Amino acid sequence: MSVPVRLVVWSDFLCPWCWVAATRLWRVVDAQEGRIELVWKSFLLRPQPDPSRTLEKFRAYTQTWARPAAEPDAPPFRVWEGDAGPPSHSVPPHLVAKAAALLGPAVERAVRARLFEAYFAQNHDVTHAETLVGIWDGLDLPRAAFARAGDEAILEAVVAEHNEAVALGLSGVPAVMLEGGDTAVPGALPYETYAAWVRRLLAA
């Protein structure tokens, strides 16, 4: 069966509102039973490591997660309590998500969900190699496929997607666009807004 609607989603694994948007968009996908598809693209809120970012500063920053956590349909969040982190930069989890996508959309979704959950709900540093391997192994995925995260082509794809978003005028995420369109809608919109948009697209 062909997929009549494909939505391009720019997202970053270090963005709390992207976690909220992902859970809402997956609900829309499930409700439509295969009539829509999400095309995930990388946006790098932290393109490079910042050696000046201390664990103390990072813990203070995670207090701001209380706002997305207060959404009535928010996924789980937990202010940072452990000694892991702070996350180095945005690139590592994106590379792993791209490697997962090579195994199919179901695997990509599972890995994306676990990356978000591990970071925002469990206080695991998803830029740390050991954490990323643990997520991969926890889903019982072939270790050989994990090695693809180190491919130069995957890194180039991540950077190209980020640059595409910047060229479209995006300065933050999440942002969603109908595939083939030229305007992305920014922000974590309410579930019903996403659902109504999709219903209109399907009706058209």
Side-chain angles (χ1 to χ4, degrees), residues 28 32 190-204:
V28 174
Q32 292 297 336
Y191 166 76
E192 187 50 46
T193 302
Y194 286 131
W197 182 22
V198 165
R199 287 195 296 268
R200 288 195 298 271
L201 291 172
L202 290 171

Side-chain angles (χ1 to χ4, degrees):
M1 180 180 68
S2 62
V3 177
V5 173
R6 302 182 85 209
L7 297 178
V8 177
V9 186
W10 276 275
S11 181
D12 187 89
F13 291 103
L14 304 185
C15 165
W17 289 105
C18 290
W19 180 207
V20 173
T23 60
R24 291 171 178 168
L25 289 165
W26 283 323
R27 282 179 62 198
V28 174
V29 169
D30 293 343
Q32 292 297 336
E33 298 180 338
R35 300 181 69 200
I36 68 169
E37 183 177 281
L38 303 179
V39 180
W40 294 94
K41 293 197 175 185
S42 303
F43 190 92
L44 306 176
L45 289 173
R46 290 187 170 273
Q48 298 175 335
D50 178 4
S52 70
R53 196 181 192 212
T54 65
L55 181 57
E56 182 180 5
K57 290 179 181 178
F58 174 64
R59 283 179 177 151
Y61 151 73
T62 67
Q63 298 285 337
T64 66
W65 294 355
R67 186 179 173 193
E71 292 285 296
D73 60 344
F77 284 88
R78 186 174 74 184
V79 171
W80 209 266
E81 299 173 348
D83 293 328
S88 60
H89 60 309
S90 296
V91 174
H94 282 291
L95 300 178
V96 172
K98 290 294 184 194
L102 297 175
L103 299 176
V107 173
E108 179 184 20
R109 173 170 170 171
V111 169
R112 285 183 171 277
R114 280 294 298 126
L115 286 165
F116 277 126
E117 181 183 34
Y119 181 52
F120 290 111
Q122 300 172 344
N123 291 178
H124 295 313
D125 179 359
V126 294
T127 67
H128 193 279
E130 184 176 337
T131 299
L132 295 172
V133 170
I135 288 172
W136 193 271
D137 289 348
L139 292 169
D140 199 27
L141 301 175
R143 181 63 72 86
F146 179 85
R148 296 292 303 275
D151 289 357
E152 185 67 23
I154 285 184
L155 175 60
E156 290 174 356
V158 166
V159 173
E161 289 172 1
H162 174 81
N163 290 339
E164 179 187 2
V166 172
L168 285 170
L170 294 178
S171 58
V173 282
V176 184
M177 183 176 74
L178 178 66
E179 187 176 58
D182 57 8
T183 303
V185 179
L189 304 183
Y191 166 76
E192 187 50 46
T193 302
Y194 286 131
W197 182 22
V198 165
R199 287 195 296 268
R200 288 195 298 271
L201 291 172
L202 290 171

